[in-house]
Amino acid sequence: MNQYAFMTIAAVTVFTTNFAAAQSDSLRQQRIAELADTVENKVIAWRRDIHQNPELGNREFRTSKLVADHLRSLGLEVKTGIAHTGVIGILKGGLPGPVVALRADMDALPVSEETGLPFASKTRAMWAGQEVGVAHVCGHDGHTAILMGVADVLATMKDQIPGTVKFIFQPAEEGSPPGEEGGASLMVKEGALKNPVPEAVFGLHLNSRTQLGRAGYRAGPFMASGDTLKIIVKGAQTHGALPWLGIDPIVIASQVVLGLQTIQSRQVNVLLEPSVITVGAINGGNRSNIIPESVEMIGTIRTLDEGMRLDIHRRIANSAQSIAQSSGGTAEVTITRDYDVTTNDEKLADFGARSLRASMGESNVFVNPKVTVSEDFSAYQKVVPGFFFFLGVVPEGTPPKTVFPNHSPKFWIDEKVLKIGVKAMVNLTLDYLSQK
Ligand SMILES: [Zn+2]
Ligand SMILES: [Zn+2]
């Protein structure tokens, strides 16, 4: 056999192997599509049920029971009560292979729903000492229902799965009630990523800025860190007509608000990463003719880089304290780190994008711009490589700008996204496990 003949045979072998692999991939995709069709109505029904019965962070008792009962009915190994109401299901495939984790969040928000849907929430509950409406206005009802559907499809395909799938249903992504721990960081603390340890974790978010059928992802920093800022400015109380006899914390607070805005515009390099500092509330004083003793300000800080985050924290403390000092007052600055930057592992993001393109269509998957909202999915990514992506909920023909954003009382999703989510997640899981 001459050298050229050998190369031809080798090329034919590679071609045949690739062809066989492609064929088995497309058969698998077809099977997933069929199974997604069969679970679609159930997924819609779960989503509506969860939507109509929303629960706040760390109080997802009914939702987690629904999830746990479903996972048990599929024959999964189920653990409950993790991080208050979290549920973990383990599906061992029929073939050897790695472990991969899939995550959904189950909590609703303290918002009164105004969608007018027949299954709209009428629930009310206590939040931070106040009675509030409760509604799924961030799409977590959809995330939970999608992952229940994914479990259903994968349980049916169990014998052909080369590895183990760990389902993580977590509470309190939007934050815990004041004074309580919760969410992804508590799930991790209580062992959600142990026994078995997953090699990778996948998660998605329904997104009101993206068209139905499309997915946005980004390698590297994707969603911002989110920190809570509290500043107490202290002055000296006096008569409103005699300011020179005291120290006015309202004027100091006003200067601090403006001073903080110069951190991004004048002090940090705007070319590196975007950042946001927002003062959301200023409270102080109770009469027109009294200069109060103190003013309290609260706000949020968003960054996309850990170094810049720490730098901005230092600059905020420095600006507030120096400004207060220049008027004879003081500023006590407290910054609480709530969410880390959601950073998609570069290699995993490349893989994830390929899988999404194959299952959703080449032109439907795009690189999303960075966003200044936060996600506690970042807590899992600190432990294992993770891939997080957005799925569009805006129906065809509707310009995204006319659609109500996540957290609006009128936030609404096209339920077609549920089946799209099931298919995308099942494909992602099996593509990952089969690549070994
Ligand atoms: Zn949200
Ligand atoms: Zn959310």
Side-chain angles (χ1 to χ4, degrees):
M1 194 194 299
N2 69 33
Q3 186 190 352
Y4 299 102
F6 174 76
M7 278 174 66
T8 313
I9 291 166
V12 168
T13 313
V14 169
F15 174 77
T16 319
T17 318
N18 286 346
F19 180 71
Q23 205 179 25
S24 82
D25 282 357
S26 91
L27 277 175
R28 190 173 68 220
Q29 265 176 34
Q30 210 180 318
R31 175 86 178 121
I32 293 168
E34 284 164 17
L35 290 171
D37 280 342
T38 60
V39 299
E40 184 178 16
N41 286 340
K42 279 201 280 188
V43 176
I44 292 174
W46 289 322
R47 184 257 161 170
R48 291 185 183 185
D49 180 42
I50 297 167
H51 191 89
Q52 202 161 11
N53 298 283
E55 295 168 302
L56 291 170
N58 286 356
R59 304 288 183 272
E60 304 89 338
F61 304 112
R62 185 185 182 277
T63 313
S64 70
K65 184 176 184 311
L66 185 81
V67 168
D69 287 349
H70 174 61
L71 298 183
R72 280 194 196 102
S73 79
L74 298 172
L76 269 64
E77 197 183 305
V78 177
K79 285 180 217 159
T80 57
I82 304 137
H84 303 289
T85 56
V87 181
I88 288 181
I90 293 169
L91 176 67
K92 289 193 177 117
L95 302 168
V99 183
V100 71
L102 312 177
R103 172 274 205 170
D105 39 12
M106 306 186 287
D107 56 321
L109 280 156
V111 171
S112 295
E113 182 165 348
E114 293 172 18
T115 58
L117 287 167
F119 52 91
S121 160
K122 295 186 181 70
T123 305
R124 298 190 70 76
M126 293 303 286
W127 179 260
Q130 280 186 336
E131 199 193 297
V132 290
V134 183
H136 271 291
V137 291
C138 198
H140 299 187
D141 50 343
H143 305 165
T144 302
I146 288 172
L147 200 54
M148 288 169 76
V150 170
D152 210 303
V153 170
L154 288 174
T156 311
M157 301 177 82
K158 187 179 168 182
D159 294 344
Q160 303 118 60
I161 298 178
T164 297
V165 186
K166 187 172 208 175
F167 296 88
I168 300 175
F169 291 87
Q170 71 155 80
E173 191 283 324
E174 302 281 4
S176 314
E180 292 180 28
E181 262 190 278
S185 54
L186 190 60
M187 289 291 288
V188 171
K189 217 169 162 182
E190 295 193 7
L193 296 179
K194 287 183 189 149
N195 192 27
V197 178
E199 255 187 32
V201 56
F202 298 128
L204 61 80
H205 207 298
L206 301 184
N207 185 275
S208 57
R209 304 290 97 186
T210 304
Q211 297 282 347
L212 185 75
R214 304 199 77 209
Y217 81 99
R218 186 173 195 91
F222 180 17
M223 303 179 72
S225 59
D227 301 321
T228 304
L229 169 65
K230 185 173 161 186
I231 303 175
I232 298 172
V233 175
K234 286 207 174 111
Q237 187 160 327
T238 179
H239 197 292
L242 307 165
W244 54 87
L245 295 182
I247 295 165
D248 189 344
I250 289 185
V251 172
I252 296 174
S254 312
Q255 290 173 316
V256 168
V257 172
L258 297 177
L260 297 188
Q261 293 312 311
T262 67
I263 291 175
Q264 299 114 303
S265 64
R266 304 286 94 174
Q267 299 178 37
V268 299
N269 184 345
V270 292
L271 295 172
L272 296 179
E273 291 289 359
S275 58
V276 175
I277 302 171
T278 292
V279 174
I282 307 179
N283 290 302
N286 59 2
R287 265 187 73 96
S288 61
N289 62 353
I290 297 176
I291 288 170
E293 182 77 13
S294 66
V295 167
E296 184 184 294
M297 295 188 274
I298 50 171
T300 189
I301 309 156
R302 308 294 167 121
T303 65
L304 281 136
D305 174 82
E306 184 59 28
M308 194 182 268
R309 182 186 191 183
L310 296 171
D311 182 44
I312 287 176
H313 289 183
R314 276 193 296 270
R315 288 178 189 276
I316 287 175
N318 188 31
S319 291
Q321 283 154 1
S322 309
I323 290 167
Q325 222 171 20
S326 70
S327 298
T330 60
E332 196 184 297
V333 179
T334 315
I335 296 171
T336 315
R337 294 166 63 98
D338 298 325
Y339 299 84
D340 288 317
V341 181
T342 301
T343 306
N344 281 334
D345 179 83
E346 303 271 347
K347 257 172 74 186
L348 198 60
D350 281 351
F351 157 80
R354 269 201 311 279
S355 170
L356 291 177
R357 285 194 181 104
S359 70
M360 297 180 65
E362 193 73 29
S363 60
N364 288 325
V365 181
F366 63 98
V367 174
N368 210 89
K370 290 169 188 170
V371 295
T372 48
V373 288
S374 309
E375 240 301 331
D376 76 357
F377 187 78
S378 49
Y380 304 110
Q381 290 174 319
K382 280 178 90 177
V383 185
V384 294
F387 175 63
F388 195 72
F389 62 100
F390 291 164
L391 270 187
V393 298
V394 183
E396 290 128 62
T398 315
K401 280 186 185 150
T402 64
V403 176
F404 296 100
N406 294 53
H407 292 205
S408 155
K410 293 183 178 163
F411 173 74
W412 179 88
I413 64 164
D414 186 324
E415 287 179 327
K416 287 198 194 85
V417 73
L418 301 174
K419 187 172 88 176
I420 295 171
V422 170
K423 274 204 304 193
M425 222 26 158
V426 173
N427 274 297
L428 201 53
T429 308
L430 294 181
D431 286 349
Y432 185 84
L433 295 176
S434 309
Q435 69 177 347
K436 299 282 152 177

